[in-house]
Amino acid sequence: MGLTLNEIYKIVTDKAGFKGRMRLAVRTGVSRTKAEEMADTPEIIAKFKKEADEILGQDIDKFLRGGK
């Protein structure tokens, strides 16, 4: 479970480092460990993508599997 959320965490960590990962955790209220256990619901994915977009300053969709 949480495959997409885990992938978002990985991308943010790769692109913005540990500080970016921590910002994502603070902004979403979900730790990386908890994200791995959560279901990938459309609402949660949208929240994570929105915050990741702002942290990275670009659309994260192009980095996700099957991205544009």
Side-chain angles (χ1 to χ4, degrees):
M1 298 183 91
L3 295 176
T4 302
L5 301 181
N6 192 38
E7 185 178 6
I8 292 170
Y9 256 108
K10 183 178 181 333
I11 292 165
V12 169
T13 303
D14 289 348
K15 303 286 182 196
F18 182 75
K19 286 185 180 183
R21 185 173 114 190
M22 290 294 101
R23 287 176 63 201
L24 184 61
V26 169
R27 292 174 84 157
T28 60
V30 178
S31 69
R32 181 176 173 208
T33 305
K34 185 170 180 177
E36 291 174 348
E37 300 168 358
M38 294 175 67
D40 282 337
T41 65
E43 296 82 15
I44 297 293
I45 291 172
K47 179 179 180 179
F48 268 70
K49 283 183 173 183
K50 176 185 173 293
E51 298 302 338
D53 288 351
E54 291 180 15
I55 291 166
L56 298 178
Q58 56 186 315
D59 189 355
I60 194 168
D61 278 334
K62 65 183 171 185
F63 301 113
L64 291 169
R65 286 171 294 172
K68 300 170 185 170

